[in-house]
Amino acid sequence: MDRFVFLTFDGLSKGAVLAAFALALVLIWRAARIVNFAQGAMAVAAAYAAYSVTSATGSYWLGFGAALAGGLLIGLVVERAVMRFVDHTSPLAEVIVALGLVLVFQALLGIFYGNEYLPTGTPFSRTALTAGGVPLLSRYDLFVFGAVLLVVVALALLFTRTPVGLRMRASAFAPEVSRLLGVNVGGMLTLGWALASAVGALAAMLVIPTELGLHPHAMDLVFVSAFTAAVVGGLDSPVGAVVGGLSVGLILSYVSGYLGSDVTPMAVLVLLLAVLLVRPGGLFSSTVARQV
Amino acid sequence: MSADTTADALPAPVSAGGATGDAILRVSGLTAGYGAAPVLQDIELTVRTGTIAAVLGANGAGKTTLLRTLSGLVRPSAGDIVFDGRPLRDVPVEQLVRRGMAHVPEGRGVVAELTVDENLRLGGLWRRDRADAARALAEVYELFEPLAQRRRHAGHQLSGGERQMLALGRALVARPKLLLLDEPSLGLAPRVIAQIMGLLRQLRDQTGLTVLLVEQNVRSALSVADEAVVMSLGRIVTATTAGRLRDDEQLRHAYLGF
């Protein structure tokens, strides 16, 4: 029972990061109907920026800020300089360009930083606090929960309560009508990419210290898990991304706890396959058909 | 026609757009198309302030393309558009609403995923005068009672008539000088069409709104229009008063086939 409780908390903590990363995928999907396969590589690039800043200044928090700012900037540049020019008639074109970006990012990071795992620190202790002898959560886990919760709430408020959020949603659903109503649709798309990339960078900052460390490929497996989480949630639904992220985190934690950690990558793929076979629209896909 | 501009409802005559009778829109030599073959050829059109001008014609005559070219969604290959005294070619689509032109596209363009209230607010987001944008929103709710009762409903939950009201109301929140309306009668019951045409008449008479109305429903359009042009295969084949087209059987036979 103790083991189960521990695995549950561990899974929720992992799941929170997957939720944030899945949310980043959903943001871009909603804005541009693209699954951003470069999300992981972009997030790692932002994490390297944080590594440089933290190494130079000795401050984790300056590095943390640099990762978020770097994330915004990377998203902005990728959309303005690359994605904008991709032919939108075939979804395959966007997928291939995104995969190409992965190679470019990972090669550049390897050239500048080397292909070794670099150790990264955490701002809080990762020693689990115990309750009645059972190890539950570390202070770092609480920080992860807090950061992800903050982002989820902030994004929800942004999209539902602000004029910019209304513009972004309208641009995504009906670009032409939005332009006729005076909305700068191109600008909203850039903003969507920048925001998503910053959320992805946050997820990378949170997860990398808990894994093997910083490496050009550090987010590859996380990307697969988060993509599964996003698909479980229906790709279109921010709530679905959060629930999907937590569910996938729990499943992975139980699988690695009871069956062994070498089974987890396969478990993710089996889950992805199962969801695509049984409910390709995702568990939270809205059933509303678009009518005009 | 009485052009009574003692406006107490939408859209307030916001600028010195000119008295009734001045041309608010002048189109000359306009040629446009999607590929090599032009869909519009050498269009000449003048719309006077405070009037309703109907653009009639069969399917494929180029009516919708004309509106899309006016609002910049289709770029013309030749010709000039002068709106409110200023040239309109090369003005980005996003800027047109700021210049006073509102385009309600075919199929109504309600954003199905957004609520009624969000759709309407979207129509006024570009405005700097927030207070007046809020006033315009309140006036639209007054004008369209059914919308006021469904503020929180999503666009896809509305009936066809309500969607047309929403699209129309959203355009009016911008307080346009010129309203481009593409087939507002499409798929609506005769009673609802009559309501919408009556509303256009009311807006013209009370606020001096200018409307360029594209319609396949000739009878409805001619019941409110002051001027009428008939298009065929991308050209304007006749331009006359709506009254003449209504009354002159020969003319109607020749151009509209009834």
Coordinates of all heavy atoms in Angstrom, one line a residue, chain B residues 22-64:
Chain B
D22 N -24.1 61.6 -51.9 CA -22.7 61.5 -52.3 C -22.3 60.1 -52.4 O -22.8 59.2 -51.7 CB -21.8 62.2 -51.2 CG -22.1 63.7 -51.1 OD1 -22.8 64.2 -51.9 OD2 -21.6 64.3 -50.1
A23 N -21.4 59.8 -53.3 CA -20.9 58.4 -53.5 C -20.0 58.1 -52.4 O -19.0 58.7 -52.1 CB -20.2 58.3 -54.8
I24 N -20.3 57.0 -51.6 CA -19.5 56.5 -50.6 C -18.5 55.5 -51.2 O -17.4 55.3 -50.7 CB -20.3 55.9 -49.4 CG1 -19.3 55.7 -48.2 CG2 -21.0 54.6 -49.8 CD1 -20.0 55.4 -46.9
L25 N -18.9 54.8 -52.3 CA -18.1 53.8 -52.9 C -18.1 54.0 -54.4 O -19.2 54.1 -55.0 CB -18.7 52.4 -52.5 CG -17.9 51.2 -53.1 CD1 -16.6 51.0 -52.4 CD2 -18.7 50.0 -53.0
R26 N -16.9 54.1 -55.0 CA -16.8 54.2 -56.4 C -15.9 53.1 -56.9 O -14.7 53.1 -56.5 CB -16.2 55.5 -56.8 CG -17.2 56.6 -57.1 CD -16.4 57.9 -57.5 NE -17.1 59.1 -57.1 CZ -18.2 59.6 -57.6 NH1 -18.7 59.0 -58.7 NH2 -18.8 60.7 -57.2
V27 N -16.4 52.3 -57.8 CA -15.6 51.2 -58.3 C -15.4 51.4 -59.8 O -16.4 51.7 -60.5 CB -16.2 49.8 -58.1 CG1 -15.4 48.7 -58.7 CG2 -16.4 49.6 -56.6
S28 N -14.2 51.4 -60.3 CA -14.1 51.6 -61.8 C -13.0 50.6 -62.3 O -12.0 50.4 -61.8 CB -13.7 53.0 -62.1 OG -12.5 53.4 -61.3
G29 N -13.5 50.0 -63.4 CA -12.6 49.1 -64.2 C -12.0 47.9 -63.4 O -11.0 47.4 -63.7
L30 N -12.8 47.5 -62.4 CA -12.4 46.4 -61.5 C -12.4 45.1 -62.2 O -13.4 44.6 -62.6 CB -13.2 46.4 -60.2 CG -12.7 45.6 -59.1 CD1 -11.4 46.2 -58.5 CD2 -13.7 45.4 -58.0
T31 N -11.2 44.4 -62.2 CA -11.0 43.1 -62.7 C -10.3 42.3 -61.7 O -9.3 42.7 -61.1 CB -10.2 43.2 -64.1 OG1 -10.9 44.0 -65.0 CG2 -10.1 41.8 -64.7
A32 N -10.9 41.1 -61.5 CA -10.3 40.2 -60.4 C -10.6 38.8 -60.7 O -11.6 38.5 -61.4 CB -10.7 40.6 -59.0
G33 N -9.9 37.9 -60.1 CA -10.2 36.4 -60.3 C -9.3 35.6 -59.4 O -8.4 36.1 -58.7
Y34 N -9.5 34.3 -59.4 CA -8.7 33.5 -58.5 C -7.6 32.8 -59.3 O -6.6 32.5 -58.7 CB -9.6 32.4 -57.9 CG -10.8 32.9 -57.1 CD1 -12.0 33.1 -57.7 CD2 -10.5 33.3 -55.8 CE1 -13.0 33.7 -56.9 CE2 -11.6 33.9 -55.0 CZ -12.8 34.0 -55.6 OH -13.8 34.6 -54.9
G35 N -7.7 32.6 -60.6 CA -6.7 32.0 -61.3 C -6.4 32.9 -62.5 O -6.3 34.1 -62.4
A36 N -6.2 32.3 -63.7 CA -5.9 33.0 -64.9 C -7.1 33.7 -65.4 O -7.1 34.9 -65.8 CB -5.3 32.1 -65.9
A37 N -8.3 33.0 -65.3 CA -9.5 33.6 -65.9 C -10.1 34.5 -64.9 O -10.4 34.2 -63.8 CB -10.5 32.4 -66.2
P38 N -10.4 35.8 -65.3 CA -11.0 36.7 -64.4 C -12.4 36.3 -64.1 O -13.2 35.9 -64.9 CB -10.9 38.0 -65.1 CG -10.7 37.7 -66.5 CD -10.1 36.3 -66.6
V39 N -12.8 36.5 -62.8 CA -14.2 36.3 -62.4 C -15.0 37.6 -62.5 O -16.2 37.6 -62.7 CB -14.2 35.7 -61.0 CG1 -15.7 35.4 -60.5 CG2 -13.4 34.4 -60.9
L40 N -14.3 38.7 -62.3 CA -14.9 40.0 -62.4 C -14.2 40.7 -63.6 O -13.0 40.7 -63.7 CB -14.7 40.9 -61.2 CG -15.3 40.4 -59.9 CD1 -14.9 41.4 -58.8 CD2 -16.8 40.2 -60.0
Q41 N -15.0 41.3 -64.5 CA -14.4 42.0 -65.6 C -14.9 43.4 -65.7 O -16.1 43.6 -65.9 CB -14.7 41.3 -66.9 CG -13.8 40.0 -67.0 CD -14.0 39.4 -68.4 OE1 -13.8 40.0 -69.4 NE2 -14.3 38.1 -68.4
D42 N -14.0 44.4 -65.5 CA -14.3 45.8 -65.8 C -15.6 46.2 -65.1 O -16.4 46.8 -65.8 CB -14.4 45.9 -67.3 CG -14.1 47.3 -67.8 OD1 -13.5 48.1 -67.0 OD2 -14.6 47.7 -68.9
I43 N -15.6 46.0 -63.8 CA -16.8 46.4 -63.0 C -16.8 47.9 -62.8 O -15.8 48.5 -62.3 CB -16.9 45.7 -61.7 CG1 -16.9 44.2 -61.9 CG2 -18.0 46.2 -60.8 CD1 -18.2 43.6 -62.4
E44 N -17.9 48.6 -63.1 CA -18.2 50.0 -62.8 C -19.3 50.0 -61.8 O -20.4 49.5 -62.1 CB -18.5 50.8 -64.0 CG -17.5 50.7 -65.2 CD -16.3 51.6 -64.9 OE1 -16.4 52.6 -64.2 OE2 -15.2 51.3 -65.5
L45 N -19.2 50.7 -60.7 CA -20.2 50.7 -59.7 C -20.1 51.9 -58.8 O -19.0 52.2 -58.4 CB -20.1 49.4 -58.9 CG -21.1 49.2 -57.7 CD1 -22.5 48.9 -58.3 CD2 -20.7 48.0 -56.9
T46 N -21.2 52.5 -58.6 CA -21.2 53.6 -57.6 C -22.3 53.4 -56.6 O -23.5 53.1 -57.0 CB -21.4 55.0 -58.3 OG1 -20.4 55.2 -59.3 CG2 -21.4 56.2 -57.4
V47 N -22.0 53.5 -55.3 CA -23.0 53.4 -54.3 C -23.1 54.7 -53.5 O -22.1 55.2 -53.1 CB -22.7 52.3 -53.3 CG1 -23.8 52.1 -52.3 CG2 -22.5 50.9 -54.1
R48 N -24.3 55.3 -53.4 CA -24.5 56.6 -52.8 C -24.7 56.4 -51.3 O -25.3 55.4 -50.9 CB -25.6 57.3 -53.4 CG -25.3 57.8 -54.8 CD -26.5 58.5 -55.5 NE -27.7 57.7 -55.6 CZ -28.8 57.9 -55.1 NH1 -29.0 59.0 -54.3 NH2 -29.8 57.1 -55.3
T49 N -24.2 57.3 -50.5 CA -24.4 57.3 -49.0 C -25.9 57.2 -48.7 O -26.7 57.9 -49.2 CB -23.8 58.5 -48.4 OG1 -22.4 58.6 -48.8 CG2 -23.8 58.5 -46.9
G50 N -26.2 56.3 -47.7 CA -27.6 56.3 -47.2 C -28.5 55.5 -48.1 O -29.7 55.7 -48.0
T51 N -28.0 54.7 -49.0 CA -28.9 53.9 -49.9 C -28.6 52.4 -49.7 O -27.6 52.1 -49.2 CB -28.7 54.3 -51.4 OG1 -27.4 53.9 -51.8 CG2 -28.9 55.8 -51.6
I52 N -29.5 51.6 -50.2 CA -29.3 50.2 -50.3 C -29.2 49.9 -51.8 O -30.1 50.1 -52.5 CB -30.5 49.4 -49.6 CG1 -30.6 49.7 -48.2 CG2 -30.3 47.9 -49.8 CD1 -31.8 49.1 -47.5
A53 N -28.0 49.3 -52.1 CA -27.8 48.9 -53.5 C -27.8 47.4 -53.6 O -27.1 46.7 -52.8 CB -26.5 49.5 -54.0
A54 N -28.6 46.8 -54.4 CA -28.7 45.4 -54.6 C -27.9 44.9 -55.7 O -27.9 45.6 -56.8 CB -30.2 45.0 -54.8
V55 N -27.1 43.9 -55.5 CA -26.4 43.2 -56.6 C -27.0 41.9 -56.9 O -27.1 41.0 -56.0 CB -24.9 43.0 -56.2 CG1 -24.1 42.3 -57.4 CG2 -24.2 44.3 -55.8
L56 N -27.7 41.8 -58.1 CA -28.4 40.6 -58.4 C -27.7 39.8 -59.5 O -26.9 40.3 -60.2 CB -29.8 41.0 -58.8 CG -30.6 42.0 -57.9 CD1 -31.8 42.5 -58.6 CD2 -30.9 41.3 -56.6
G57 N -28.2 38.6 -59.6 CA -27.6 37.7 -60.7 C -27.6 36.3 -60.3 O -27.8 35.9 -59.2
A58 N -27.4 35.5 -61.3 CA -27.5 34.0 -61.1 C -26.3 33.6 -60.3 O -25.3 34.3 -60.1 CB -27.6 33.3 -62.4
N59 N -26.3 32.3 -59.9 CA -25.2 31.6 -59.3 C -24.0 31.7 -60.2 O -24.1 31.5 -61.4 CB -25.5 30.2 -59.1 CG -25.3 29.7 -57.7 OD1 -24.5 30.4 -57.0 ND2 -25.9 28.7 -57.3
G60 N -22.8 32.1 -59.7 CA -21.6 32.1 -60.5 C -21.5 33.4 -61.3 O -20.6 33.5 -62.1
A61 N -22.3 34.4 -61.1 CA -22.2 35.6 -61.8 C -21.0 36.5 -61.3 O -20.6 37.4 -62.0 CB -23.5 36.4 -61.7
G62 N -20.5 36.2 -60.1 CA -19.4 37.0 -59.6 C -19.8 37.9 -58.5 O -19.0 38.7 -58.1
K63 N -21.0 37.7 -58.0 CA -21.5 38.6 -56.9 C -20.6 38.5 -55.6 O -20.2 39.5 -55.1 CB -23.0 38.3 -56.6 CG -23.9 38.3 -57.7 CD -25.3 38.2 -57.3 CE -25.7 36.9 -56.6 NZ -25.5 35.6 -57.4
T64 N -20.4 37.3 -55.2 CA -19.6 37.1 -54.0 C -18.2 37.6 -54.2 O -17.6 38.2 -53.3 CB -19.7 35.6 -53.6 OG1 -21.0 35.3 -53.2 CG2 -18.8 35.3 -52.4

